[in-house]
Amino acid sequence: MQSAAIVAARIARARHTLVLTGAGISAESGVPTFRDAQTGLWSRYRPEDLATPEAFRRDPALIWRWYEWRRGLVAAAAPNAGHRALADLARRVSLTLVTQNVDGMHQRAGSPGTICLHGDLFRNICSITRLAIEPEWIAAHGDEEPPPSPHHPDGYARPGVVWFGENLPQDALDAALAAARRCDVVLSIGTSGMVHPAAGLPGEAQRNGAWFAEINPQRTALSDGADLVVADTAARVLPAIVAALSGA
Ligand code: OAD
């Protein structure tokens, strides 16, 4: 694959590489993306309408059930060749991996120090205090949807993810921006580039002189700004990049 070889050659010469991933990297694991069509039970909801504090206040049981469904789906899925190739790449070159995903797949594939901008699907926090809630508490209140919070009488357990209108974890954002400013190569993989500040990272890297490649079978909000667009899937392209790097 010609374009994989081009990306590999850039990475081989780079002092540091930044990789930004989105839901598309987990698509080949069977985890639905946000903006591609939904199927089944939840097809009448738009995920972005369920991922807000207002939605949770309006109908906490609905939101809790939706996240429980997603947790079950992700727990039953496995990292794919794309996730594994990125873990492999991090063992070969200096690389920062920043993900918008909350599914834990990069960590399960063995990527060290993954920066999670949007939180962790499997954590629970108090809807009012935002303090962490232990799994044992959730298990003991598992028949309540959602379980109550141990930290506040009016609070509920909610997933430890970032919803629209909420701030990203500052330490994660700072680390991602620092990597954007020092990398020579930035890759955007499987993201529509619609949600900021994550979507601004490739541009920030480019303003600091980095070369930018996008890996996505569809064109996105970031495609026009990319130096190279590889119009193929993550599980096909990423192993080809690692193979080209090994051969280089
Ligand atoms: P989207 O659902 O917006 O975009 C997924 C992208 O993955 C699309 O551009 C697809 O073309 C692409 N894609 C699909 N299959 C692919 C494959 N096999 N290989 C590579 N790319 C593929 O998901 P995100 O951009 O991650 O935020 O969405 C960003 C944020 O919006 C999410 O983190 C979430 C969501 O609402 C919060 O929950 C705060």
Side-chain angles (χ1 to χ4, degrees), residues 53-94:
E54 293 73 33
F56 188 76
R57 274 197 292 275
R58 209 162 41 233
D59 194 344
L62 171 77
I63 306 305
W64 180 260
R65 280 188 214 121
W66 187 62
Y67 277 95
E68 284 289 280
W69 171 76
R70 285 184 60 200
R71 285 169 169 165
L73 201 130
V74 167
N80 63 53
H83 298 108
R84 288 195 298 274
L86 285 179
D88 201 355
L89 200 58
R91 288 189 282 272
R92 295 159 189 259
V93 300
S94 172

Side-chain angles (χ1 to χ4, degrees), residues 22-24 28 34-35 100 118 162 164 190-192 195 216-218 234:
E28 285 155 288
F34 291 93
R35 290 172 185 79
Q100 299 167 84
H118 292 165
V162 176
F164 286 100
T191 176
S192 58
V195 177
N216 196 315
Q218 309 289 335

Side-chain angles (χ1 to χ4, degrees), residues 7-22:
V7 177
R10 289 280 180 169
I11 292 174
R13 286 204 302 273
R15 273 163 305 175
H16 193 70
T17 296
L18 169 63
V19 175
L20 171 68
T21 64

Side-chain angles (χ1 to χ4, degrees), residues 122-159:
F122 293 97
R123 279 182 69 233
N124 286 293
I125 59 174
C126 168
S127 60
I128 294 179
T129 65
R130 296 181 156 263
L131 292 168
I133 302 178
E134 297 303 317
E136 294 73 24
W137 171 274
I138 301 294
H141 297 83
D143 48 350
E144 293 169 66
E145 291 182 323
S149 166
H151 301 301
H152 194 286
D154 298 326
Y156 290 112
R158 56 155 278 188

Side-chain angles (χ1 to χ4, degrees), residues 92-213:
R92 295 159 189 259
V93 300
S94 172
L95 180 143
T96 299
L97 175 57
V98 177
T99 188
Q100 299 167 84
N101 299 347
V102 295
D103 61 20
M105 289 288 190
H106 287 305
Q107 295 89 324
R108 282 168 65 187
S111 275
T114 307
I115 296 173
C116 297
L117 290 179
H118 292 165
D120 176 350
L121 180 62
F122 293 97
R123 279 182 69 233
N124 286 293
I125 59 174
C126 168
S127 60
I128 294 179
T129 65
R130 296 181 156 263
L131 292 168
I133 302 178
E134 297 303 317
E136 294 73 24
W137 171 274
I138 301 294
H141 297 83
D143 48 350
E144 293 169 66
E145 291 182 323
S149 166
H151 301 301
H152 194 286
D154 298 326
Y156 290 112
R158 56 155 278 188
V161 301
V162 176
W163 282 335
F164 286 100
E166 296 183 326
N167 290 330
L168 274 62
Q170 194 61 47
D171 50 348
L173 185 57
D174 288 346
L177 281 169
R181 288 170 189 146
R182 82 180 175 99
C183 68
D184 316 292
V185 169
V186 57
L187 307 181
S188 168
I189 305 167
T191 176
S192 58
M194 306 280 281
V195 177
H196 284 264
L201 289 170
E204 182 65 19
Q206 279 184 308
R207 278 189 289 283
N208 287 277
W211 181 83
F212 170 32

